Every structure is written in C-alpha cells, then in structure tokens.
Amino acid sequence: MEAPRHDTRGIVDPSGLLNHVRFRRHEPAEPLRRYVERYWLIDWDLPAPYASHIVPHPAVNLTFQWDGADEKDAPYGEVTGVALGLYTRKLSGRGRVCGAKFRPGGFRPYAPEVPVSRWTGRTLPAQEVFAQVTGDTARSVVTPADDLARVAALDAFLLSLPCVPDPQADLAIDLVRRIRADRTVRRVGDFAHARGLSVRALQRLFSTHVGVSPKWVILRYRIHEALELAGTRSDVDWAALAADLGYADQAHLVRDFTTTVGVPPATYAAGARAGRHGAPD
C-alpha cells in the first residue's frame, strides 16, 4: 500500500498556513491503511481571523472539530465530500481539527449504500453518514492534548465501523494513484483502453467510488503539480509545463490555474517566493 504523501500539494499558501496553525500528519492503524491514507491534525490560537485555502484532492474527509471560544463548546463531526472548487476555511479564536483523509476511492467500503458522488461538493454532519457518531465520539477525539491519544481515538472509531471489502474500491484507488503519478495520462479514452475498461465503465467506477469524473481527477492533479512548481521554483517555463501537463497551450493552463486558485500562476509564484517557510511535517 502506498504511503501517505508529505508534500504541500493542494495547499495554496503553505507558509501562511504553517505560520498560523500547528499542522501534523499521522498514519492510521495498519488495518485501516487499505482505505484510509492519513490522519491530519490542526490546532490554532489566533489573535486575528485567518482564512486557509485548499485546492482539494479527490478524497473524502471525516473530521472531528472544536472551534469554540471556550472548552464548554461542543465538539462535532463532519463528512466532507470532494470539493469541486477552492475550499476555504476561516479560522478564528482557538480550535482544533482531527481529520481522517480517505484514499481517493477508499470511502465507499464504509458507506456502500450510496455512490460517493452523493457527497461531492457537500459537507454534512457525520451522524448523517455514520449512525455511530455521537457527541461523545467527537469529544473523545478532540479533547486529548496528546497527538497519540487523538490518533488512538480516531483508530478506535474507524475500526468500530463496518467496512465491506470492495475489489472495485481497490481498483479505483489504483487507477487514481496511476493518474497522480503518471504525467502521460491525459485522455480518459486512452487511459480506459490501457486499463482494459470502456470509457463508460471507467466513468461509472469513478462516480460510485471516487465521487468525480476521471477527467476531473486528471485536471486536478495537473493543477496540483503546477501549483507546487509555482510555489517552489523561480524558473518555471509555463509554455513547456503546459505542454508537459497535456494542456492545449499556455493560455489554457493559465485559465485553468486562475479559475481554480484565484490568481494567475505568475502572480501566485511571486507571492509564494516572497513568503515560503517550508512544508508540514
């Protein structure tokens, strides 16, 4: 099973985020790793509000959170499906989030009754998806000050959920991994044929198990790569990168990047170079 990534892909302003919050990643218990990629923990105590911006991965997240003014405010759980646009989260005061990021394609075994596309673009109370979630569940995850205790609570909850092994989920996970890793994957028809699937079968698989289309996944990972390069290099040849990523031309890449991130790649690159401070641990 592929190990969780430790880069900043998808985070629009990594240095800004890390200057405002404590951000950590942990692996789930071994039996969960087939379908759960990683846990992510964030704590903040802010003198002024801060907005984080994420270009989401094609993954579902389960989060337990506390973002109140004092310890008496009740923690809560949420399920967030794949966000189609830029995801913005405004943080203020004190709070924490303990999240489980499922592998793209890995959420369906925990909720096999409906396609994962049901959650796409939506954030809803966790108890609407998992009847096992209670106030005590959220409290047990977010209350401990120690990371290991929070991870243990996440493990305990996820291990308590029914999980139906699903070969189609395994196939979807593998296909998304190939798209992420292989720049030459550009056309849905060619990719489906290479994997021995019809385009329609591939689209159905992605709708039921990933939540978005294979074309969306291809384009999203290319934007992630462009975002990372724009934030880490000062010598990006945008025309060459556009061709390398499968865009028709540089203008197409610039339009897609601007629509997704909110600013043109050159503008983003200039801002990132002025304030980058490293990557999450």
Side-chain angles (χ1 to χ4, degrees), residues 59-191:
V60 176
N61 283 267
L62 168 67
T63 55
F64 295 102
Q65 320 181 36
W66 171 77
D67 53 11
D70 59 55
E71 296 292 343
K72 295 181 180 179
D73 290 310
Y76 59 96
E78 289 183 334
V79 170
T80 302
V82 180
L84 297 177
L86 189 68
Y87 177 82
T88 298
R89 173 70 186 268
K90 295 182 178 179
L91 307 176
S92 61
R94 292 190 301 145
R96 63 182 54 159
V97 178
C98 303
K101 178 186 176 184
F102 291 81
R103 297 185 184 277
F107 188 73
R108 182 72 186 276
Y110 291 91
E113 298 85 4
V114 296
V116 176
S117 57
R118 174 75 62 87
W119 323 120
T120 298
R122 301 176 62 195
T123 296
L124 60 161
Q127 58 266 34
E128 292 189 18
V129 182
F130 301 116
Q132 298 88 341
V133 172
T134 65
D136 287 339
T137 306
R139 194 172 296 108
S140 71
V141 175
V142 303
T143 299
D146 177 72
D147 278 13
L148 293 181
R150 296 188 211 176
V151 168
L154 284 168
D155 281 340
F157 175 71
L158 288 172
L159 288 168
S160 75
L161 294 177
C163 178
V164 180
D166 183 352
Q168 290 294 97
D170 296 328
L171 175 60
I173 290 169
D174 178 65
L175 293 176
V176 173
R177 179 188 61 79
R178 290 174 184 271
I179 290 172
R180 182 175 64 189
D182 187 354
R183 275 192 186 183
T184 66
V185 177
R186 300 175 179 177
R187 297 182 181 276
V188 173
D190 293 343
F191 182 65

